[in-house]
Amino acid sequence: MAAIIIIAVVVLAASSGAVFKPGPWYETLRKPGWTPPKWAFPVVWSVLYAAIAYAGWSVWTLAGWSLPMIAWAVQILVNAAWSWLFFGLRRMDLALADIAVLWLSIVVFIVTAWPVSPLAALLFLPYLAWVTTAAFLNRAVMRLNPAA
């Protein structure tokens, strides 16, 4: 039952990106030359969401409600909020603050999950790398488009 609930929560969070899409507004914004290609986002996020779900389920089965699961819950909530803030509200500043909380909650999960499940912690490393890239991209787009 825990696996079903965790998968449902991850799918719900992922659906935020389907509801609040980049669209015409984002297309008109200036972006840095190192912006990943459009096709990379759904591919990378699909893999990451699978890893997020497995890591959450793994830690849950071993430790239940614990500090790593609190960090897991925080990261999935702020993860879901980012698309709404950036694409929905077009508030790049709030999205950047959100991604800072996301980054920190991922780090807390990694550190606190390691004693419970090293595999779960390791599964969050690519997520941390991608969110770090996304944070720099968020900041760069915000700087390149001060009036947006």
Side-chain angles (χ1 to χ4, degrees):
M1 186 58 152
I4 292 169
I5 292 170
I6 287 172
I7 290 168
V9 167
V10 170
V11 167
L12 187 62
S15 69
S16 172
V19 172
F20 301 104
K21 298 177 186 180
W25 170 77
Y26 183 72
E27 294 302 321
T28 65
L29 297 176
R30 293 179 57 217
K31 295 167 212 63
W34 52 268
T35 301
K38 287 184 207 179
W39 64 262
F41 291 92
V43 171
V44 171
W45 276 113
S46 295
V47 172
L48 292 176
Y49 280 127
I52 291 165
Y54 183 82
W57 173 80
S58 175
V59 170
W60 176 262
T61 60
L62 295 169
W65 276 116
S66 55
L67 187 53
M69 283 311 295
I70 292 169
W72 189 93
V74 169
Q75 67 77 28
I76 203 68
L77 286 171
V78 293
N79 176 310
W82 187 88
S83 292
W84 170 64
L85 293 168
F86 194 95
F87 299 121
L89 296 180
R90 298 179 181 174
R91 290 293 308 266
M92 291 185 266
D93 56 339
L94 295 179
L96 187 60
D98 176 89
I99 210 165
V101 174
L102 176 57
W103 191 92
L104 184 59
S105 64
I106 293 168
V107 170
V108 170
F109 178 84
I110 291 168
V111 170
T112 60
W114 184 264
V116 177
S117 171
L119 176 59
L122 289 172
L123 285 170
F124 262 52
L125 290 178
Y127 183 27
L128 181 64
W130 185 254
V131 167
T132 301
T133 303
F136 281 108
L137 181 59
N138 187 150
R139 176 70 176 131
V141 172
M142 196 168 90
R143 291 182 78 194
L144 290 169
N145 301 276

